[in-house]
Amino acid sequence: MNPFDELSIEESVRIREKERYPGGVEEIIALSIGPPKSVDILRTAMAMGADRSIFVEVKEGEEVEPLAVGKIIRKLVEREKVNLVVCGKQSIDDDSGQTGQIVAGLMGWGAATQASKVKFGEGGVEVEKEVDGGTETVRSKLPMVITTDLRLNEPRYASLPNIMKAKKKKIDKVTAEELGVSLERRLKTLKVIEPPPRKGGGKVEDVDGMISKLKELGAI
Amino acid sequence: MISRAGLSVVRQARTQLRPRTGPSPVASLSSLARLLSSLAVLEQRDGKLNHGSLGAVTAAQKLGGSITAFVAGGNIKAVAEEAAKVNGIEKIIAVDNAAYDKGLPENYAPLLVENIRKGGYTHIIAGHTAFGKSLMPRLAALLDVQQISDITAIEDEKTFVRPIYAGNAIATVESSDNIKIITIRGTAFPAAEAEGGSASIEDGVDPKAECNTEWVSENLAKSDRPDLATAGKVVSGGRGLKSKEEFDRIMLPLADALGAAVGASRAAVDSGYADNSLQVGQTGKVVAPQLYLCAGISGAIQHLAGMKDSKVIAAINKDADAPIFQVADVGLVGDLFDKVPELTEKLNKQ
C-alpha cells in the first residue's frame, strides 16, 4: 500500500475509535482502482479497520490518471453518500500529488491538504497542514477532503485475527465503465529514462582535504 | 487507497538506458508562438511578491509566446507593481480582494477559471510549492484538464519532462489537453529577473466565489538563514546528530560559517531534532544548491530524491559504506561530532 494511504486508513479508524467525530463514524469504506492484484491492498485496509471495500478493476498495465481517479471517486462518493474523503497527499510512484484536490474540486468541497493534525470541533474540522516554512491551520465543514502527510499518525500493523476477519468483509467490484468514467489518458508517456548517474566516491582523508577539495570544485 | 500499476514504468526504465540528452533547447515554435499564451500564477505574502514564484515566468519564457502574470490579494497594487518590473512579462492581471490573501484553493481556483476564460491562455504555470500543490489540481478539475506536476524541463508546448519514482526515473509526457496546467520544480526553473520589465497592469475579473474553508492560523519557523528551497548552500543533518541540542550545537555554526540554509533528513525531523519544514527529500523539499554538505545522513533513496541534483555534494559519515558516499563528490569518513566542529572552526578562520 502507498505509505500515505496507510496513514489515511489509520486516521479514519482513529477518528472512529477515539470518537473524535461527534455522532460517531458510521462506516469506513476503502477504495482502490487498479489491476486485479490491488485486491490485496483492500484486504490490508480492512484488516486495519475499514468495514468494506470498493474495487474498481482496470486492466493489468493500465494506469489511471489522477483526473480519472478523481471522477471515479466522485461517482462513488455520490453513490455511497460519503461526507469525508481521506487520501494520501501523493503516490510514491507517480508523485503527482493531485487526486484529493481534484475530488474536492469536482465536488465543490473544502479541502485540507498535507494534514498533520485533524481536530473536530464545533466550528468545523480544524486541520493543521504542512506548508513551506512551517504549518498552517484551516477550518472547514463536512463534507470535505483531507490529504495525509507523513506526520499525521503511525499506521498500525494488522494483527492476524484482524487479517482473518478481513477475509469475511465485503469487496464490491465495479468498473469505470459502469460508473460512466472514461479512462482515456490525457497524458501520453513518450519515454521513461534513468536519470544521469552521479559519480560519487571521491573520499578525502581529513577536514583539510575536504576544504581544499571543496575549494577546487568552487563550492566554497 | 489508490494504487497504480507502476511496474511497467520501471521495466521500461530499465530497458531504456540511454543517457539523458540534457535539457534540450525548446524546439522552434515560430509558427505556434503567436497562439501560445501563458499565465504565470505568482505568489504573494503580506503585500510582497514571492520571488521564488518567478520560476513560473522563466518556464513561460521557455515556452515562448506571450506571458501574463496573475496576482491576487488585499492591497495588491504594490505586488502588481513589483511584478510589472519582472523581465519578460507583458501584462499583470491583478485582483484586489483580501479574500485571496491566504491562497485558499476553494475561492482561488474559481477566480483563476474566470480569468483564464477571459484571457484565453494556453498554459497555466505555478510553482510546485504548498500553494501550487493545493491550488492547481483543483483548478485542473474545474477545467477538466489532467495537470502535469513538478516538471523539470519543457521540450515543446505540449511535451514536458518530470521525475517519477522519487526521481529514479525521468518521464517525458505529451499532453493532449487544450489548456496545459503545469507546476514546476523551482530548482529546475530559476526565478526570472526582477528588473528590466515594464508590464501593463490590468484589473482581473473577480467572481467572488464562496469559500467553505477558512484560514485559522499559521506557525512558520523563523530564521535569519537563507531559505532552504532557494539557498546557494545547504548544510543538512540526519539521525547521526542524536538529539535536537546536538543538532543545533553542531549544525547551526557550520551553516553560519558557510552562510548556508539548514536542512534535515526525515529521520532527524521525525525524531524532533529539526523542524518539519527543514526536511529534504521526496516528501519534503527538493533542493539543488551549489553545495550540499551533509553529516550523519546515510543517503536513503527518499532523501537522495530531494538533493541529488545539487552541484557539489559533500558528506561526513562514520560508516564508510553509507550510500551517501556513492553520490558525494567529497566524502569524509569520520565521527561528525569531531569533524563538523573542526570544519566549522577552519572555515571561520579563513
Side-chain angles (χ1 to χ4, degrees):
Chain A
M1 198 188 306
N2 183 45
F4 293 102
D5 297 337
E6 289 185 350
L7 294 152
S8 309
I9 298 286
E10 178 64 32
E11 193 65 16
S12 308
V13 175
R14 283 190 193 190
I15 291 169
R16 170 158 64 193
E17 286 176 348
K18 306 225 185 306
E19 295 176 8
R20 274 156 52 193
Y21 179 64
V25 174
E26 192 180 320
E27 191 177 37
I28 300 169
I29 307 170
L31 164 69
S32 185
I33 304 164
K37 63 176 187 290
S38 320
V39 155
D40 299 343
I41 290 162
L42 292 171
R43 291 277 172 220
T44 308
M46 292 189 292
M48 287 173 72
D51 301 298
R52 63 181 172 102
S53 297
I54 301 174
F55 179 40
V56 183
E57 191 176 314
V58 301
K59 285 195 284 289
E60 187 68 48
E62 179 161 28
E63 297 197 33
V64 187
E65 290 175 341
L67 184 64
V69 169
K71 289 177 179 177
I72 292 172
I73 296 177
R74 170 176 60 179
K75 292 283 180 186
L76 291 169
V77 158
E78 284 167 352
R79 191 182 89 181
E80 305 291 338
K81 302 195 171 36
V82 167
N83 66 350
L84 176 63
V85 173
V86 189
C87 57
K89 74 164 176 181
Q90 72 191 69
S91 66
I92 58 164
D93 49 6
D94 188 54
D95 283 336
S96 280
Q98 301 174 2
T99 301
Q101 298 89 305
I102 290 172
V103 173
L106 293 173
M107 303 294 300
W109 291 2
T113 49
Q114 305 192 206
S116 56
K117 226 176 257 168
V118 178
K119 244 170 51 188
F120 291 86
E122 295 209 343
V125 192
E126 255 185 37
V127 181
E128 187 182 278
K129 307 165 52 183
E130 298 279 337
V131 296
D132 303 334
T135 61
E136 177 183 272
T137 302
V138 296
R139 191 187 297 128
S140 198
K141 283 200 165 67
L142 294 181
M144 72 179 290
V145 176
I146 294 172
T147 76
T148 60
D149 206 322
L150 280 172
R151 280 159 209 100
L152 183 59
N153 58 46
E154 288 238 359
R156 69 194 63 191
Y157 289 104
S159 66
L160 190 59
N162 284 340
I163 293 172
M164 300 312 287
K165 264 188 239 161
K167 291 194 172 159
K168 295 202 186 87
K169 291 182 179 174
K170 199 176 125 212
I171 298 180
D172 171 18
K173 271 197 199 180
V174 60
T175 63
E177 208 175 20
E178 282 160 11
L179 295 168
V181 176
S182 159
L183 298 184
E184 199 189 331
R185 291 180 66 87
R186 309 285 185 88
L187 299 181
K188 191 163 107 196
T189 302
L190 300 182
K191 64 176 175 184
V192 177
I193 58 167
E194 278 198 355
R198 268 195 95 100
K199 233 193 175 154
K203 283 195 183 130
V204 292
E205 286 301 312
D206 52 22
V207 169
D208 292 321
M210 178 168 254
I211 292 174
S212 54
K213 187 79 188 287
L214 288 177
K215 278 192 179 150
E216 192 188 308
L217 294 168
I220 55 171
Chain B
M1 276 168 273
I2 313 307
S3 90
R4 281 204 209 99
L7 284 172
S8 62
V9 179
V10 172
R11 242 175 269 132
Q12 215 178 336
R14 286 192 187 130
T15 54
Q16 301 192 22
L17 297 177
R18 268 175 296 148
R20 195 176 159 200
T21 45
S24 51
V26 174
S28 162
L29 299 169
S30 54
S31 60
L32 284 163
R34 277 171 284 129
L35 307 169
L36 218 159
S37 117
S38 299
L39 185 71
V41 184
L42 304 184
E43 299 178 35
Q44 61 98 17
R45 168 177 287 274
D46 304 329
K48 283 209 182 85
L49 183 68
N50 175 348
H51 284 252
S53 70
L54 295 179
V57 177
T58 308
Q61 284 166 340
K62 293 204 173 175
L63 279 163
S66 73
I67 304 173
T68 304
F70 185 87
V71 288
N75 297 319
I76 203 66
K77 198 158 171 263
V79 180
E81 279 167 3
E82 206 182 338
K85 295 197 193 96
V86 174
N87 201 14
I89 304 177
E90 273 177 34
K91 187 161 76 181
I92 310 289
I93 304 283
V95 174
D96 193 336
N97 183 344
Y100 304 118
D101 273 347
K102 301 299 180 187
L104 292 168
E106 287 82 351
N107 59 4
Y108 210 112
L111 166 71
L112 276 175
V113 168
E114 289 300 313
N115 285 283
I116 290 163
R117 286 212 175 111
K118 189 174 170 221
Y121 310 101
T122 56
H123 293 72
I124 320 298
I125 313 167
H128 196 65
T129 57
F131 170 80
K133 281 191 269 192
S134 65
L135 169 69
M136 298 297 266
R138 190 173 185 113
L139 172 68
L142 297 181
L143 292 172
D144 194 31
V145 167
Q146 176 54 57
Q147 181 196 322
I148 310 132
S149 291
D150 202 20
I151 66 162
T152 52
I154 294 169
E155 290 206 340
D156 60 41
E157 85 285 356
K158 57 177 196 255
T159 316
F160 308 92
V161 177
R162 60 180 300 265
I164 53 176
Y165 288 95
N168 287 299
I170 310 288
T172 304
V173 296
E174 185 184 280
S175 165
S176 60
D177 282 316
N178 289 331
I179 299 178
K180 274 74 170 169
I181 297 184
I182 304 158
T183 60
I184 54 157
R185 180 169 288 199
T187 57
F189 298 93
E193 278 171 67
E195 297 297 328
S198 55
S200 61
I201 301 177
E202 207 174 273
D203 284 335
V205 213
D206 187 357
K208 297 196 171 76
E210 227 177 277
C211 186
N212 39 17
T213 299
E214 58 179 313
W215 183 90
V216 178
S217 62
E218 68 190 359
N219 182 11
L220 300 181
K222 288 195 177 59
S223 168
D224 298 331
R225 296 192 178 81
D227 174 53
L228 178 58
T230 53
K233 290 173 188 155
V234 172
V235 301
S236 197
R239 199 200 299 271
L241 269 307
K242 300 228 165 63
S243 72
K244 174 161 176 39
E245 291 67 39
E246 293 292 278
F247 190 98
D248 291 352
R249 184 177 72 83
I250 302 277
M251 298 309 292
L252 302 190
L254 176 63
D256 292 337
L258 286 164
V262 179
S265 71
R266 189 185 159 206
V269 166
D270 281 354
S271 308
Y273 306 170
D275 191 80
N276 291 346
S277 59
L278 301 187
Q279 187 191 318
V280 172
Q282 185 187 16
T283 63
K285 290 259 160 33
V286 177
V287 301
Q290 202 66 24
L291 170 64
Y292 187 85
L293 203 171
C294 59
I297 290 180
S298 64
I301 250 177
Q302 295 85 344
H303 186 75
L304 298 183
M307 46 65 84
K308 70 182 155 94
D309 291 329
S310 304
K311 192 95 194 301
V312 173
I313 297 174
I316 298 175
N317 202 302
K318 64 181 175 192
D319 175 9
D321 297 324
I324 191 74
F325 288 125
Q326 289 163 22
V327 299
D329 304 287
V330 191
L332 176 57
V333 179
D335 186 347
L336 71 90
F337 292 102
D338 298 331
K339 303 297 179 192
V340 177
E342 185 188 341
L343 178 62
T344 305
E345 196 190 315
K346 286 185 169 155
L347 287 170
N348 277 332
K349 276 199 190 130
Q350 295 194 354

